[in-house]
Amino acid sequence: MLLLGIDVGTSSIKVSVVDAQSQQAIASAQYPEDTENKVISVRAGYAEQDPDMWWEHTQLAIAKVLQHRAVRPEEITAIGIAYQMHGLVVIDEERNPLRNSIIWCDSRAVDLGEEAFQHIGNKKSLDRLLNSPGNFTAAKWAWVKQNEPAVYKKAYKIMLPGDFIALKLTGDATTSISALSEGVFWDFRSNSLSTDIMEYFGFDEGVFPELRPLFGEHGFLQSSVARKLNLKPGIPVTYKSGDQPNNALSLNVLRPGEVAATAGTSGVIFAVSDQLISDKESRINTFAHVNYTKEDIRTGVLLCINGTGILNSWVKQNMGQGLGYDEINKIAQSVPPGSEGLSILPFGNGAERIFNNRIIGSHFLNLDFNHHHRAHVFRAAQEGIAFAFRYGLDILRENGMNPSVIRAGIANMFQSELFTQIFANVTNTPVELYNNDGSIGAALGAGIGNHTFASPDEAFEKMKVHSTIVPQTDHPYEEFYSTWRELLLEKFMQIKK
């Protein structure tokens, strides 16, 4: 019995086929392989992608994975989908996108979200929504209403990126409590769509897809699509989740106190709680986890830093032409900790929640043209990203989340031994690494959703730790972090003025 998982990322679409018995991936593919999906930015602070591009690349990635000789397409019994969170997809009655998706790192709706926060009331918003509307999907939809009335009027449904891919597969538009909460449409006290959000923005509830359990049936593969993909018609889509809750699932982070991390384009620490937690300044955000129910609360307290792996990618593209990441990491190791005074603030990818949705920008500080060279930049970039994680983790700690260990998949920046060790040292927290990723998690989620596994615990009973990286006892990073933090706060205060 095989399970198909699709991960709709910002840079690419990844697909894995998992054998349910072994709980291991037997084949994986992604599209594109050697480049990254385009982010359209017509002006500073804007970030969009074409939903039809996601669908095209999903089909190409599935075609590639089905070419693997270990995969028998006729044995695929369920499909699961993970996706980049907070994006807005607007479709018409013919199920076609009316505009590009306004994706997670787009900053255009910050002011609208802040105005809603003040109107509804900070205390009420944090109590019922657990977040400020900030720059989430609700505020993006309000921007469309205000600036693109023709699109707003013609809209049949609004949805998240994963909902759109499921729609293309099945023809059905569905959503879940977790998805509505990540858009900041969900009232955790009434356990329903937020009347405060609906009334303040003047939204019509009819644009929301049908509410379904996250682990459950979200439609069946259409015959026409099945023929095109060389799959059986009628395969159910039985799981849909945002990428960060899904990453936590893939690492079996489901119980209160457990913590997961990712360091892809953005960086996230995701801590599970059995409480309705909110940060007084909404610097971290709380959403319904994949296993949330009204009766058994499981929330994901999410620290997000937009500018992490995207900085490492930018450095590679602009200063490491022709080099692979392994070569860059090796060159970075030739420089001592602290990068001989060079500090980098990685916040160059839109408004940052940990700074109250302000745009900080990336900064290279104390750069000496006569001494520093690209090796210093390679190392300072990884150190700056780790320092940003520490800054955010301290906010999580202020809110009662104190992880004794952080789990991560061996993917993106956690493939770098250098970065992972710096991360452990700077956060003073051991890191457990696993050979799982988002597409594998989505496949296992599908197995939970169609009852191949009796419970999430059963789906991960064969998962083993690949390695554990513990903080070194003699590292100098506390001093370097303090210096970096002072530089950061100096820039932040300038921006606040």
Side-chain angles (χ1 to χ4, degrees):
M1 188 180 299
L2 302 180
L3 305 164
L4 179 67
I6 302 167
D7 186 6
V8 184
T10 309
S11 58
S12 68
I13 309 294
K14 186 169 183 182
V15 174
S16 289
V17 175
V18 169
D19 175 72
Q21 183 174 4
S22 68
Q23 300 174 0
Q24 301 296 311
I26 60 172
S28 295
Q30 71 178 52
Y31 194 91
E33 268 189 306
D34 301 320
T35 59
E36 296 185 352
N37 284 337
K38 182 179 181 182
V39 174
I40 302 162
S41 183
V42 296
R43 65 178 68 177
Y46 281 36
E48 301 182 354
Q49 287 187 320
D50 179 1
D52 286 328
M53 175 194 70
W54 298 333
W55 174 232
E56 179 185 352
H57 291 184
T58 297
Q59 295 174 83
L60 291 167
I62 290 173
K64 285 178 66 177
V65 84
L66 294 183
Q67 291 173 6
H68 196 284
R69 61 184 180 183
V71 176
R72 296 173 295 281
E74 68 277 8
E75 294 186 12
I76 293 174
T77 59
I79 298 170
I81 302 171
Y83 56 88
Q84 49 172 294
M85 297 172 72
H86 314 307
L88 172 69
V89 180
V90 187
I91 62 167
D92 61 19
E93 290 190 12
E94 285 71 45
R95 308 315 200 253
N96 296 315
L98 286 167
R99 67 174 331 281
N100 286 331
S101 172
I102 304 175
I103 65 171
W104 57 277
C105 54
D106 187 286
S107 303
R108 75 186 72 183
V110 167
D111 289 344
L112 291 173
E114 181 59 28
E115 290 167 7
F117 192 39
Q118 299 303 323
H119 178 87
I120 295 168
N122 297 22
K123 188 171 186 281
K124 189 178 184 182
S125 287
L126 296 178
D127 178 62
R128 304 187 76 91
L129 305 172
L130 308 186
N131 304 285
S132 160
N135 196 35
F136 296 111
T137 317
K140 292 167 182 170
W141 182 224
W143 185 93
V144 171
K145 181 184 180 186
Q146 184 177 98
N147 294 275
E148 299 176 350
V151 171
Y152 186 86
K153 184 177 180 180
K154 196 175 180 181
Y156 170 64
K157 297 292 179 186
I158 63 170
M159 56 187 57
L160 297 162
D163 299 329
F164 177 74
I165 296 303
L167 173 79
K168 298 299 286 186
L169 291 167
T170 68
D172 294 333
T174 69
T175 190
S176 68
I177 289 175
S178 182
L180 291 171
S181 77
E182 76 171 78
V184 192
F185 293 110
W186 192 253
D187 186 322
F188 281 87
R189 299 297 177 181
S190 66
N191 281 304
S192 64
L193 279 171
S194 167
T195 55
D196 292 310
I197 290 291
M198 296 298 112
E199 291 175 1
Y200 175 75
F201 286 126
F203 292 157
D204 177 2
E205 291 188 14
V207 299
F208 294 95
E210 181 182 346
L211 185 64
R212 302 270 183 92
L214 186 145
F215 293 108
E217 182 258 296
H218 290 272
F220 299 87
L221 187 63
Q222 301 176 89
S223 295
S224 59
V225 178
R227 285 193 297 271
K228 191 172 182 180
L229 295 177
N230 292 316
L231 291 171
K232 293 185 304 181
I235 300 172
V237 173
T238 54
Y239 170 82
K240 285 191 301 181
S241 170
D243 52 8
Q244 299 309 323
N246 177 71
N247 179 66
L249 172 78
S250 75
L251 297 166
N252 197 20
V253 171
L254 297 167
R255 289 155 286 275
E258 296 179 336
V259 178
T262 56
T265 302
S266 64
V268 169
I269 296 179
F270 185 98
V272 181
S273 175
D274 56 4
Q275 304 294 317
L276 299 180
I277 290 175
S278 61
D279 176 63
K280 59 185 179 181
E281 297 180 48
S282 204
R283 298 166 297 174
I284 57 175
N285 304 103
T286 304
F287 308 114
H289 197 10
V290 294
N291 55 342
Y292 172 91
T293 66
K294 301 171 185 178
E295 299 74 31
D296 192 14
I297 292 172
R298 291 293 181 269
T299 54
V301 186
L302 187 150
L303 154 74
C304 181
I305 306 159
N306 287 0
T308 54
I310 193 170
L311 166 62
N312 209 40
S313 174
W314 185 91
V315 166
K316 177 179 181 289
Q317 291 171 21
N318 291 280
M319 299 181 188
Q321 294 97 330
L323 298 176
Y325 283 114
D326 288 343
E327 295 170 290
I328 287 173
N329 295 335
K330 186 175 181 180
I331 293 169
Q333 289 173 347
S334 68
V335 172
S339 302
E340 297 190 299
L342 176 62
S343 290
I344 299 180
L345 307 182
F347 310 111
N349 191 30
E352 292 284 2
R353 298 177 212 165
I354 56 173
F355 301 116
N356 310 112
N357 285 317
R358 287 183 172 84
I359 296 178
I360 302 297
S362 183
H363 301 269
F364 285 53
L365 302 168
N366 301 326
L367 177 63
D368 185 329
F369 295 135
N370 296 311
H371 182 69
H372 294 131
H373 49 84
R374 68 177 185 174
H376 292 90
V377 175
F378 293 163
R379 185 174 190 115
Q382 297 200 32
E383 289 176 339
I385 293 165
F387 293 154
F389 270 109
R390 164 66 185 276
Y391 184 89
L393 182 57
D394 285 347
I395 296 174
L396 279 173
R397 287 167 172 154
E398 286 178 32
N399 286 274
M401 312 302 291
N402 294 288
S404 58
V405 65
I406 294 174
R407 298 179 192 171
I410 305 174
N412 300 311
M413 293 201 66
F414 283 107
Q415 294 180 85
S416 165
E417 293 180 8
L418 174 64
F419 171 78
T420 306
Q421 187 63 67
I422 294 171
F423 179 97
N425 288 345
V426 171
T427 61
N428 196 34
T429 308
V431 178
E432 289 181 354
L433 294 176
Y434 295 83
N435 274 319
N436 270 13
D437 66 17
S439 60
I440 296 172
L444 292 169
I448 298 167
N450 79 338
H451 307 294
T452 296
F453 306 113
S455 67
D457 283 338
E458 183 178 307
F460 296 97
E461 62 185 6
K462 297 179 182 178
M463 187 175 78
K464 295 180 180 178
V465 179
H466 176 274
S467 57
T468 301
I469 289 75
V470 299
Q472 295 167 324
T473 57
D474 56 350
H475 69 80
Y477 274 108
E478 194 62 35
E479 176 185 347
F480 296 139
Y481 171 70
S482 295
T483 300
W484 179 91
R485 186 175 183 275
E486 289 176 7
L487 293 167
L488 166 65
L489 293 179
E490 181 181 329
K491 287 292 179 186
F492 183 39
M493 293 307 296
Q494 290 172 0
I495 291 165
K496 286 182 72 174
K497 292 177 182 177

